[in-house]
Amino acid sequence: MSKGFEIRHNSGDKLKLEMLSSGEKQLLLLFINTITATDQATIFIIDEPEISLNIKWQRNLLKTLLKFSSNNYVQFIIATHSIELLAPNTKNVAKLEE
């Protein structure tokens, strides 16, 4: 990561950031921040990450974040209305009420 990175299509062609959708840009930023948070304890507070993400990406988001941060000192606090995000993670869900 210290030398930068490139985004490539499955065909191998380079993709410019301008070519990415808002959801893809959001994921890229979130994943880069997660991957590079290595030596210090970090808490990510994420508000409604499902916005601009299709259902498939919503279903895989938390699993991917946890995979990328498995060797780091990272915690995530996520506010969401997405059943797709919540359903596979019910043991880690806290419902806030009055």
Side-chain angles (χ1 to χ4, degrees):
M1 292 299 280
S2 63
K3 295 182 181 182
F5 64 93
E6 293 179 342
I7 304 169
R8 294 190 175 265
H9 190 274
N10 289 341
S11 66
D13 296 333
K14 283 186 188 179
L15 292 176
K16 295 181 181 180
L17 286 177
E18 308 85 59
M19 298 172 67
L20 300 178
S21 70
S22 61
E24 291 167 331
K25 289 176 185 175
Q26 177 183 321
L27 286 177
L28 180 62
L29 182 62
L30 187 54
F31 292 155
I32 288 172
N33 281 309
T34 301
I35 291 168
T36 58
T38 54
D39 295 334
Q40 296 184 3
T42 305
I43 297 174
F44 288 99
I45 300 174
I46 307 167
D47 185 31
E48 298 185 351
E50 69 274 8
I51 296 175
S52 299
L53 299 181
N54 66 38
I55 297 298
K56 181 180 176 184
W57 289 359
Q58 288 181 39
R59 290 178 182 154
N60 291 311
L61 178 62
L62 296 182
K63 178 174 51 174
T64 304
L65 286 173
L66 292 172
K67 179 180 176 183
F68 284 167
S69 64
S70 63
N71 295 322
N72 302 344
Y73 303 103
V74 174
Q75 289 185 339
F76 299 97
I77 299 173
I78 298 173
T80 183
H81 298 281
S82 171
I83 296 298
E84 300 300 330
L85 283 177
L86 297 174
N89 300 286
T90 55
K91 66 179 180 176
N92 297 314
V93 171
K95 182 178 180 183
L96 302 179
E97 298 178 306
E98 291 183 31

